[in-house]
Amino acid sequence: ASGGGEFVINQDEIDRLRRKRREERKQEKEAERQRKAEEKERERQAKLREKEEKKRKRAQTVGMSSSSKRKAMNDGLVSKWMQVKQEVAASEDPDSDEDGDVLLAHEEKKKHEEIEKWKEDQLRSGEAEANVNFAPIQGDWRERLKQRKEEAAKAEKKQKKERSAGLPDGWQAVADPASGEVYYANVSTGESQWEKPTAS
């Protein structure tokens, strides 16, 4: 920035910052991809270890007596039972995600039923005629939205033209996106300032 409230737009600096941000995004995506790959690899390694452990246990039981085999089998069943018991306890936890989803679905269904009941009451009592919520939507809303956007763009273009009227050659009035205030930029020199430029 230079003195007298003038700001200079340095296009090279803006381009450099954009390139830097693109590179940062690229690095973030690469780091995320790497993290997911590592996570996947850890899961694969855990499954391999689990398989190896099962093979090792099977190999141990091959040379055992029948009573030792029954004991090993019972130990395995007990650990399996404990695991199932923990899973059941976790599923009965009122804070668990699954129960939360079921509760949420139940609340949504209840809300929908209440809305439908209200709607029927409105129609039955005749109050629906005076309620705008029951008025049919005329025409295609997409077309109306498109038309509004076009009108807003035309109004912005007209406003920009009016603000730029009477400025010296090369100068344009620009609305600051952050504050909405108008500043003036010279497209040929890259110079910008808050005060309206005058022909010199």
Side-chain angles (χ1 to χ4, degrees):
S2 59
E6 294 181 1
F7 295 95
V8 176
I9 298 174
N10 186 338
Q11 191 62 40
D12 292 338
E13 181 66 15
I14 292 171
D15 292 342
R16 187 188 67 75
L17 290 172
R18 285 182 181 152
R19 282 193 301 274
K20 182 180 176 187
R21 183 62 188 138
R22 276 196 297 269
E23 187 61 34
E24 287 172 353
R25 285 188 191 134
K26 188 177 176 183
Q27 289 172 354
E28 288 169 2
K29 285 180 182 178
E30 179 60 27
E32 179 66 16
R33 189 193 63 74
Q34 183 69 26
R35 186 191 62 76
K36 285 181 180 179
E38 289 171 358
E39 190 175 305
K40 208 172 198 178
E41 179 61 22
R42 280 194 298 273
E43 289 173 4
R44 190 181 73 75
Q45 291 292 335
K47 286 180 182 177
L48 284 174
R49 282 193 298 274
E50 191 177 314
K51 279 184 181 180
E52 289 297 320
E53 183 64 21
K54 284 181 183 177
K55 280 183 186 177
R56 188 183 61 76
K57 285 183 180 178
R58 255 188 261 128
Q60 284 177 344
T61 58
V62 169
M64 293 182 174
S65 65
S66 60
S67 63
S68 297
K69 286 181 181 177
R70 273 195 301 276
K71 184 179 179 328
M73 200 164 126
N74 285 341
D75 288 346
L77 289 173
V78 168
S79 66
K80 193 81 155 172
W81 177 80
M82 291 295 287
Q83 184 181 2
V84 169
K85 187 175 177 183
Q86 288 173 346
E87 288 174 6
V88 168
S91 70
E92 291 175 352
D93 181 9
D95 296 332
S96 74
D97 287 345
E98 290 176 14
D99 288 343
D101 291 344
V102 170
L103 185 61
L104 195 62
H106 178 70
E107 288 176 4
E108 286 292 323
K109 184 179 178 186
K110 188 176 177 183
K111 187 187 285 185
H112 181 72
E113 288 171 355
E114 288 174 0
I115 290 170
E116 288 300 314
K117 184 180 181 310
W118 173 82
K119 186 177 174 182
E120 288 174 17
D121 291 345
Q122 291 283 311
L123 290 168
R124 214 177 299 120
S125 68
E127 292 178 40
E129 291 174 18
N131 191 327
V132 294
N133 292 314
F134 290 90
I137 298 173
Q138 302 295 323
D140 184 13
W141 65 271
R142 290 176 192 89
E143 193 59 41
R144 287 197 307 275
L145 182 63
K146 182 180 173 185
Q147 187 177 2
R148 283 187 194 144
K149 284 183 178 180
E150 287 172 357
E151 289 170 359
K154 284 179 184 176
E156 175 64 28
K157 194 174 182 180
K158 182 181 176 187
Q159 208 174 27
K160 187 176 180 180
K161 193 175 183 180
E162 288 172 355
R163 286 191 303 246
S164 296
L167 293 176
D169 287 342
W171 286 92
Q172 286 184 346
V174 183
D176 179 36
S179 66
E181 292 187 51
V182 176
Y183 68 94
Y184 302 91
N186 189 321
V187 290
S188 54
T189 65
E191 186 181 358
S192 63
Q193 61 189 40
W194 290 106
E195 293 82 26
K196 188 172 182 175
T198 55
S200 49

